[in-house]
Amino acid sequence: MSRIKPINTKAQKIAETVHRDVRGYAFSDCCASFAPGWEVGTGDNPDPCPWKHDLQLCWVTCYWMGQVPDTNSYGSWLDTCNNINDDWRNLCTIPDNG
Amino acid sequence: MTLVKDELVPVVQAGAEYVFHVPTSSFYELDATTRDVLEAVERLDSVPDSQLSAAVSGSTGADETEVTEILSDLVKLRLLVPRDTKGSADTDPTPRGTGVRNLTLHVAHNCNLNCGYCYAEAGLYKGKATLMSVERAREYVDWLFDQADPDARELGVTFFGGEPLLNFPVVETTVRYAQERAQRDGKRVRFGITTNGTLITPVISDFLRDIRATVTISVDAKGKTNDRLRPYHSGRGSYDIVMDKIQPLLESGMCAARVTVTKVNLNVVETVETLLEAGFTEVGCSPVDAKNPAYDLDGKDYAELLEGFRVLVARYVDEAAEGRRYGFSNIGNILKAVHNGHNKEYPCGAGIQMVAGAPNGNMSLCHRFVGEDEYVLGSLEAGGLDEAKRKQMLDELALKERSDCSKCWARYICSGGCHHVNFLFNGDPQKTYLTHCDWLRAWYRTGLEAYAEILQRNPAFINQFIDPGWVCRN
Ligand code: SF4
Ligand code: SF4
């Protein structure tokens, strides 16, 4: 949206909402539109990145199982990634929970 | 579905182009192509959506792929909407049906000054001179805490009048009582006082400093001009006395000034400058509504006032560019509203989170409605607010009930104007007093321009001074 710049708080909020509420109309740069899970509504999830939606939401709300981590063996797999922006590197590591 | 341009206010500032989206109060900067696309959509009113990109591209000369992308962004931001949803708003939720957080206590219905324009007739509010008793004030405090929502961590008490310092002993005892009660309830309590300043003594200054009160001094101009407007009953002027008495408070940086602008003191630039130089941290100006042609501003006066305000705004913006805050409160408040994208159903907190308590125990919509029986929302005697009446009044006062405002672009910032002004001039707070409106819109537009200019010159200022964390002392 390089030609239209939101300049007050309300505009920024609306612009963000638009990015989050993708539902099949738009996608962010990092992910192709056919990746599973991104199309589930993400009302409360503040991350615009569809990747995280796949990883967190897919196994709960989506029938598509392709990218679902093995949550049975590794129940706390996401604990090291509270914030996708800061902690994304941790996503590749399975926490050693003994 | 045909897409149309939603309600937008174009703003141009130093060559850059902006639009303010009325239904959401969001504010955008646009490039020239986007502006052309918006204009073209308006021109090509009846073109079906499927042909819009091609038609806009033909009409503007812009590349069609680019136009498609711009149109899609405009739709996402709701700047283009289906025709039947044009103008439909997203107002901020109003905290209704919740406890009162701010109580204005009329501790004295009497005044030692005799300002000709006073809406309360020298502080009497259509009654006899009365002072609030200590017991009554305590009852009010207990009521405030009793009815407060459990999650309200801070409550406020403002001492008002007439002149509240005519009843200083009650102010003092009430503050101590409220502090004890706050401690018991695990809440904080904050105090404010609006005074003419003439009765402040060193003891009172120390006290106000000690309780960290927000002190608002009513003063209208420098020297003689102030004295014409704000004399004692004897006719003697009050300016020199006030400035002398409030000196210690000015030195502690604790005073805001409230200027009532009338025909007599239209030179707001000089007034604001003088008062800031004298040590006030903030100066706010409010046009008088006296229903008296000797004071009320007419069209020409309003134009002059706007000019004055614009000079002060230019000064504010220049200071902001250097990272400093100029204490002209009026623009500070508008900038805050613009920054947050306020989109309100009500112009103020009257009857919502704030009520006023009279010496006789009656509680009114706000301080200005004290003495008007119709706007009494409850009483201590009856155990508090009459919730049914409160709800009915708030329902009636909501912006969506104001057909007069429904076409105004500023409606979600202004929300229909002060209920009391509407009441005073039209006999009904629900009936918009439209005489002010051109002025108000011009003023809100000045606010949008100032916001855009500050963002161009020093965006850090907005985060530092305007963001919600910073609370204006007015
Ligand atoms: S400026 Fe006037 S018409 Fe517009 S919202 Fe305010 S009171 Fe209503
Ligand atoms: S009704 Fe008017 S005077 Fe009363 S609180 Fe609202 S804006 Fe202020």
Side-chain angles (χ1 to χ4, degrees), chain B residues 348 350 354 366-369 418-420:
Chain B
C348 61
M354 172 185 116
C366 83
H367 53 291
R368 288 215 181 185
F369 282 95
C418 166
H419 305 314
H420 188 260

Side-chain angles (χ1 to χ4, degrees), chain A residues 3 5 7-11 18, chain B residues 27 29 31 66 338-339 341:
Chain A
R3 296 174 169 281
K5 191 167 135 207
I7 64 164
N8 70 353
T9 313
K10 187 62 85 50
V18 167
Chain B
F27 201 14
E29 186 177 347
D31 72 352
E66 206 171 41
V338 173
H339 177 67

Side-chain angles (χ1 to χ4, degrees), chain A residues 1-12 14-15 18 25-26, chain B residues 24-29 31 33-34 66 70 73 76 338-339 341 451:
Chain A
M1 221 167 278
S2 57
R3 296 174 169 281
I4 313 170
K5 191 167 135 207
I7 64 164
N8 70 353
T9 313
K10 187 62 85 50
Q12 275 144 13
I14 291 172
V18 167
Y25 297 105
Chain B
T24 57
S25 297
S26 43
F27 201 14
Y28 300 91
E29 186 177 347
D31 72 352
T33 318
T34 308
E66 206 171 41
I70 292 175
D73 284 346
K76 281 180 222 152
V338 173
H339 177 67
Y451 186 79

Side-chain angles (χ1 to χ4, degrees), chain B residues 117-121 126 287-292 296 368-370 372 375 418-433 436:
Chain B
Y117 57 70
C118 182
Y119 62 88
E121 302 108 26
K126 297 189 170 172
V288 75
D289 293 295
K291 254 191 138 175
N292 177 342
D296 282 335
R368 288 215 181 185
F369 282 95
V370 168
E372 304 292 346
Y375 300 94
C418 166
H419 305 314
H420 188 260
V421 168
N422 295 335
F423 166 72
L424 197 67
F425 287 94
N426 292 338
D428 181 349
Q430 238 191 312
K431 291 208 185 96
T432 305
Y433 178 57
H436 277 157

Side-chain angles (χ1 to χ4, degrees), chain B residues 25 37 101 108 111 122 142 229 256 258 260 264 266 390 409 428:
Chain B
S25 297
V37 169
R101 294 186 185 213
C111 192
D142 279 328
L229 290 163
R258 184 191 189 285
T260 301
V264 179
L266 260 176
R390 181 182 180 202
W409 72 259
D428 181 349

Side-chain angles (χ1 to χ4, degrees), chain B residues 137-148:
Chain B
R138 283 194 186 139
E139 274 180 78
Y140 271 121
V141 169
D142 279 328
W143 171 79
L144 177 68
F145 280 86
D146 289 344
Q147 58 83 60

